[in-house]
Amino acid sequence: QVQLVESGGGSVQAGGSLKLSCSASGYTYSRYRLYNTYCLGWFRQGPGKEREGVASVVNLGSTSHRDSVDGRFTISQDNAKNTLYLQMNSLKPEDTAVYYCAFATVAGGRCTEYTYWGQGTQVTVAS
């Protein structure tokens, strides 16, 4: 099992910043953490929109960010604290969404399906 708990959401004015955190725990997480063979990702779902990937980190190494947040958002991980972060700067109203963190295992150097999800944290950006 993997338990994921997000925090750090809130309401900000456009141009502001927020830092989201996701605390990970559980037997399955600990097992994959031992061999660094997992992915952690941030996803979001805005009002009336489909869920979309925002950023991910693979095997404590390579990171990726979707084009619309590249240069504004930064994903990072503190392995010692079992915590995933998403630093969000220069926020825009279109960034308003519920943000989720999720866990996936790695196969062939790629993330498999994200099967464990947190409960989400609301981010609201006012214009």
Side-chain angles (χ1 to χ4, degrees):
Q1 290 291 330
V2 177
Q3 287 80 45
L4 302 168
V5 180
E6 303 97 335
S7 61
S11 297
V12 296
Q13 294 291 319
S17 297
L18 283 173
K19 186 174 184 177
L20 305 183
S21 299
C22 174
S23 177
S25 62
Y27 172 76
T28 300
Y29 173 75
S30 297
R31 187 179 66 185
Y32 283 95
R33 178 182 180 277
L34 184 64
Y35 297 104
N36 292 334
T37 54
Y38 65 95
C39 298
L40 288 174
W42 285 102
F43 294 77
R44 67 185 181 186
Q45 186 166 18
K49 299 180 181 179
E50 293 187 356
R51 187 172 62 197
E52 62 184 17
V54 176
S56 65
V57 56
V58 182
N59 289 345
L60 284 176
S62 63
T63 61
S64 64
H65 301 76
R66 70 180 298 111
D67 288 346
S68 62
V69 306
D70 200 16
R72 298 189 298 123
F73 291 10
T74 304
I75 190 171
S76 63
Q77 185 177 3
D78 186 331
N79 195 40
K81 295 182 179 180
N82 297 320
T83 302
L84 180 73
Y85 301 101
L86 185 67
Q87 178 66 48
M88 305 186 296
N89 299 326
S90 302
L91 282 160
K92 304 176 180 180
E94 51 263 43
D95 295 319
T96 294
V98 177
Y99 284 71
Y100 302 89
C101 68
F103 171 95
T105 59
V106 172
R110 291 175 172 267
C111 303
T112 60
E113 180 182 4
Y114 283 89
T115 53
Y116 294 96
W117 296 81
Q119 83 288 350
T121 185
Q122 176 71 47
V123 171
T124 302
V125 184
S127 57

